[in-house]
Amino acid sequence: MLFRILSILGLASLAFAGEPTLDTGNTSWMMTATALVMLMTPAGLALFYAGMTRTKNALNTTMMVFAAYALATVVWVFWGYSLAFGDDVAGIIGSLKHIFLNGIEYSDLESSGYPSYVFVAFQGTFAAITVAIASGSIIERTKFSTWLVFVILWGTFVYAPIAHMVWGGGFLYNAGALDFAGGTVVHMNGGLAGLVAALMIGKRKGYPKTQMMPSSIILTALGAALLWFGWFGFNAGSEFAADGVAGSAFLMTNFAAATAAVTWIILDYIKFGKPTLLGTASGAVAGLVAITPAAGFVGVIGALIIGIGGSVFGFFGVTVLKKIFKYDDSLDAFGVHFIAGLWGALATGLFALKDLAWAGSPLHDHGDRLGQMIVQLESVAVTIIFTAIMTAIVLKVSSLLTGGARVSEEAEVEGLDATIHGEKGFNL
């Protein structure tokens, strides 16, 4: 009996010494958050994009997003996770120590007491939606085979390094860069990749003179609502615990999105004289994008300003910037995700609350807001330069391996639903 008591006390002392124990509350929350983020891609983003696409390409657009989720998840488990969160190599990439999840057991726990396998799954949903975002810039003219190769290479050579630099122990992480849930890692990264790919593949036939009507704005609004719903897991889940910060991130996410949606309605009235459902849905998404890097770091005033700014800058990207430079960003992935994400990444440095954001930052003790802004600018600059160059290389290689990235003129005119998949999105 005495031995049993001493054994129990000994185990207790190990727990107090820092060994994590299973926390069922945190485990339940993180599994739920992972499921919410999963819903965002093959359901939310797919519908959001498909509704904006012409009827003859709606199924192909959905298929590009759906396939990206599946293929990126396979890549993530095979080697992507290890490259993003493995042992640091030169501050830029992780090692292949955990290839095929080698060395990670189902019983391993993260510091807040939930299984490491859940962390792998949660982070994998981020990798998948990031590359799927890029598809919105190149739909209606891209070979599906090229897209599949691009997803594999881009997830390996673009997403994984950026995730490691910012989140996985790389040099931006160590410098104190703040990105709560993916302003640089996800939205700037995916949005800029989309623009680079769109410029390389070229404009759709007839753009911008030919009117290209969306297949269903109702579907787009439904997709935006599912994205909004899933975003609670995206942002609040990034606290990795069911605690007060997660609760704050949950509220700020909802508040910023609502603020941005209302702001876009006002902007529609000012510019067009009419409020549009497409604009309202786009505004909500722009607000969600903007608050993502700041969700767990800011209070109500910060969320309000970030939400309004996300909508204003997103509106500018979609209605002004695109017309000035005349690029064919089909579904405004760059205008909404990159532009609003850029604003959010920088605004995080401006509005982050010291006690929430800087607790583990090397800038915390000095309360160095200027220093934080410099680090935020550095993380933005690194993301832009690295993503632009590496995306161009990856798309070029993908194009060479598949005999060109663009479909034939005949296929583009007929529509990719029929020519690539032999199906129709709508049998009207």
Side-chain angles (χ1 to χ4, degrees), residues 121-203:
F122 182 73
Q123 291 294 343
T125 60
F126 282 64
I129 197 171
T130 304
V131 69
I133 287 169
S135 70
S137 296
I138 58 173
I139 53 92
E140 299 196 316
R141 74 261 204 201
T142 303
K143 283 184 180 178
F144 188 68
S145 58
T146 305
W147 173 243
L148 294 179
V149 175
F150 179 83
V151 169
I152 296 172
L153 297 180
W154 195 87
T156 303
F157 296 106
V158 184
Y159 181 83
I162 291 290
H164 180 79
M165 283 186 261
V166 178
W167 287 339
F171 78 96
L172 291 173
Y173 174 87
N174 291 322
L178 298 178
D179 190 352
F180 191 78
T184 51
V185 177
V186 176
H187 297 292
M188 285 184 62
N189 199 5
L192 181 59
L195 178 65
V196 171
L199 294 174
M200 292 178 67
I201 293 172
K203 299 175 183 178

Side-chain angles (χ1 to χ4, degrees), residues 341-360:
L342 173 62
W343 155 247
L346 297 178
T348 299
L350 290 174
F351 300 109
L353 301 176
K354 181 178 178 180
D355 291 343
L356 285 175
W358 295 352

